[in-house]
Every structure is written in structure tokens, then in C-alpha cells.
Amino acid sequence: MTLPAQQALLPVDGDIFRKAMSRLAAPLTVVTTRDETGTPRGFTASSVTAASLEPPLVVVGIAHTSSCFGVLSRAPEFVANVLDRQHRAVAERFARSGVDRFAGQDFASWPGSGLPCLPGAHAALRCVVRERIPVGDHDLLIGELVGVLTSESTEPLLWYDRAFRTLAAAL
């Protein structure tokens, strides 16, 4: 595709960027931790990815406007729960503000840590925070993987084109 030079040089505003990024399919996760009082906290995230194999590192992006930002900016550990298609309601609940996100949810405690983890998650990644990097309106949490739980689920829940999706049937 060839664009006129002047069109290619126009600045990109937030709405255009958001629309372009909506075309990038991303696995949905619920990132969980506990605050200083032991209260479970979490949020839905589509910005979770692997950063390194040696050592195993995971990157989580969290908006400065997130209700969990303060807690996660101080938390020493977190769990990234990779959602399965059955967890759509969980993803929706953890994306809402002003509600008790854990009310009525079936979270368990990670063995030996008490961190909230979601039974039946596609995978759950327990991480110790190694670094926090401010980037624009987000912080990137760099977590070193210290534990993994997986399930037999086969259909991850995805975020694509501003909607929940699952994988299409095999071709």
C-alpha cells in the first residue's frame, strides 16, 4: 500500500491509534494481587506478553488511570490469569470500575502465597516484580515468572476489534 507523503506524516491521535491497535488480537488476562491489607485486587488486561526466556520475564501494561494502579505500583508479586472462553463474564467484571470485582467470583489462593488465581484459567503466571518502567500513560511491570499453573482448556478468550472473540474452528 502506498500513501501520499503528506498523509503518512500526519500525527496520530489517540482515537486513530486505538482503532489501529484494535486490529491486533490479544489474549485477555485478569491480573491479580493483594493490597497491603490482604484484600484481593485485579483488573482485565490485554497488554500482557512474554519479554524474555532466560530469565523468564512477563510484561504487564497498566494505565495510570486504572483503579489498581496504586496497588500494583507497590505490590511485590502478581498473577496473570490467561482467560479461557468460559471466563467472559470474569473479563467483563474485572474491566468495570466501582464494583467489588471478586464478589461472586471463583478465585482460589495460589499455593503458598495467598495470591488470587482463577481455577480453570488457560494458564496462570505467578510473577515477582523485578522492575517498573513508566511509559506514557502506562507503567510496564516486568515480572519474573516463579510459578505456572495450566489447565486443559483449549479456547483462549481474545480481545479483537473492541470485542471478545475466540479462535475460529481449525481449518
Side-chain angles (χ1 to χ4, degrees):
M1 163 176 26
T2 304
L3 298 176
Q6 61 181 226
Q7 185 177 1
L9 297 176
L10 291 175
V12 177
D13 70 17
D15 289 336
I16 292 170
F17 180 63
R18 190 174 293 111
K19 182 177 181 178
M21 293 307 294
S22 77
R23 300 306 181 131
L24 181 63
L28 280 170
T29 63
V30 166
V31 177
T32 58
T33 193
R34 290 197 181 272
D35 67 15
E36 296 86 357
T37 67
T39 303
R41 301 290 303 270
F43 71 103
T44 299
S46 60
S47 56
V48 175
T49 191
S52 169
L53 291 176
E54 292 296 329
L57 300 174
V58 174
V59 178
V60 174
I62 182 168
H64 294 165
T65 56
S66 171
S67 62
C68 290
F69 178 76
V71 170
L72 277 162
S73 68
R74 297 181 302 273
E77 294 183 273
F78 63 86
V79 175
N81 299 277
V82 182
L83 302 181
D84 187 79
R85 73 178 296 172
Q86 70 184 359
H87 297 121
R88 180 179 176 155
V90 175
E92 290 171 342
R93 182 156 190 93
F94 276 74
R96 286 192 201 116
S97 294
V99 299
D100 178 354
R101 295 172 176 163
F102 286 88
Q105 302 299 320
D106 187 28
F107 278 78
S109 290
W110 192 288
S113 79
L115 289 169
C117 61
L118 185 60
H122 208 62
L125 313 171
R126 180 179 170 197
C127 299
V128 172
V129 176
R130 293 294 178 224
E131 195 170 350
R132 292 176 175 85
I133 303 170
V135 180
D137 61 358
H138 280 60
D139 273 11
L140 300 179
L141 304 178
I142 311 297
E144 184 170 351
L145 206 60
V146 295
V148 175
L149 300 173
T150 60
S151 74
E152 296 299 318
S153 66
T154 58
E155 285 222 52
L157 185 62
L158 304 174
W159 185 248
Y160 176 74
D161 204 17
R162 299 182 190 165
F164 295 105
R165 312 281 182 173
T166 58
L167 296 174
L171 299 176

